[in-house]
């Protein structure tokens, strides 16, 4: 059984290799430095047969007092349909609970997967007006996606904003 663990600095190269084929298609492209800056948000699964090779990853990015986003959830194609993505997502949701968060957001093409894990499409605005005003101050693209701002629409075409309440 592959263990879900916290990412380490030495995992970043392997995470980038895993994500590279998906960046720009199903995942938002990131500069290399962004992975190091977000390292403490990442959980990974290591290949049991190839030391140092990451075969699944995902991150939980806190956006507000009760709100976080699941980011960069990816599984190597050779390991899909083995339950790794689900285990990784459930670990991130457990992390969210431990942090006292109650709403988890994702922007995804994989509606079926996230629906199976209790997420529902967001209809309308998902933040109260006062929180919305505060979140507008963020430079984070994920926050802009959550708020459904016009400036991110060209990059999110075909994606669905989804939310799970814990």
């Amino acid at each position: 059984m592959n263990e879900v663990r916290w990412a380490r600095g030495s995992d970043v190269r392997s995470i980038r290799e895993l994500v590279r084929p998906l960046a720009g298609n199903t995942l938002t492209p990131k500069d290399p430095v962004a992975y190091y800056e977000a390292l403490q948000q990442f959980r990974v699964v290591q290949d049991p047969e190839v030391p140092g090779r990451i075969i699944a990853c995902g991150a939980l990015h806190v956006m507000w007092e009760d709100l976080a986003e699941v980011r960069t959830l990816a599984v190597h194609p050779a390991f899909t349909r083995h339950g790794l993505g689900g285990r990784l997502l459930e670990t991130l949701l457990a992390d969210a609970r431990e942090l006292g968060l109650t709403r988890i957001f994702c922007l995804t093409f994989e509606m079926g997967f996230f629906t199976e894990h209790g997420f529902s499409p967001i209809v309308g605005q998902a933040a109260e007006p006062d929180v919305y005003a505060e979140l507008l101050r963020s430079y984070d693209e994920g926050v802009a996606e959550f708020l459904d701002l016009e400036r991110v629409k060209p990059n999110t075409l075909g994606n669905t904003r989804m939310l799970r309440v814990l």
Side-chain angles (χ1 to χ4, degrees):
M1 183 82 128
N2 300 357
E3 172 193 351
V4 176
R5 64 165 173 79
W6 289 106
R8 302 178 187 124
S10 59
D11 295 327
V12 170
R13 278 197 173 96
S14 187
I15 292 169
R16 288 183 56 224
E17 288 173 23
L18 172 65
V19 172
R20 186 174 292 119
L22 304 171
N25 296 318
T26 58
L27 292 179
T28 304
K30 291 180 179 60
D31 291 323
V33 69
Y35 289 98
Y36 290 103
E37 290 174 341
L39 183 66
Q40 72 280 3
Q41 301 172 6
F42 271 87
R43 293 286 199 146
V44 297
V45 177
Q46 188 171 314
D47 188 328
E49 297 180 16
V50 181
R53 179 179 180 214
I54 300 303
I55 57 172
C57 68
L60 183 72
H61 178 79
V62 176
M63 298 167 68
W64 197 250
E65 176 182 348
D66 66 335
L67 177 67
E69 179 183 8
V70 171
R71 293 185 173 177
T72 321
L73 187 63
V75 177
H76 188 282
F79 295 90
T80 58
R81 308 283 180 238
H82 291 91
L84 290 179
R87 280 202 2 249
L88 199 48
L89 178 58
E90 291 302 323
T91 300
L92 294 172
L93 295 175
D95 292 344
R97 284 183 194 94
E98 204 166 307
L99 291 170
L101 305 170
T102 56
R103 297 184 305 149
I104 310 303
F105 161 73
C106 71
L107 183 70
T108 185
F109 288 104
E110 303 294 336
M111 285 184 61
F113 172 80
F114 281 96
T115 299
E116 288 174 20
H117 291 276
F119 285 75
S120 301
I122 295 173
V123 178
Q125 196 46 256
E128 301 77 33
D130 57 332
V131 173
Y132 183 92
E134 288 296 325
L135 288 172
L136 277 176
R137 298 176 186 212
S138 175
Y139 294 105
D140 187 279
E141 289 298 304
V143 171
E145 292 161 353
F146 174 72
L147 297 176
D148 203 26
L149 300 180
E150 286 297 322
R151 69 178 168 91
V152 296
K153 295 242 186 222
N155 297 325
T156 62
L157 292 176
N159 280 298
T160 300
R161 294 180 318 139
M162 299 186 82
L163 189 71
R164 173 160 172 192
V165 177
L166 299 178

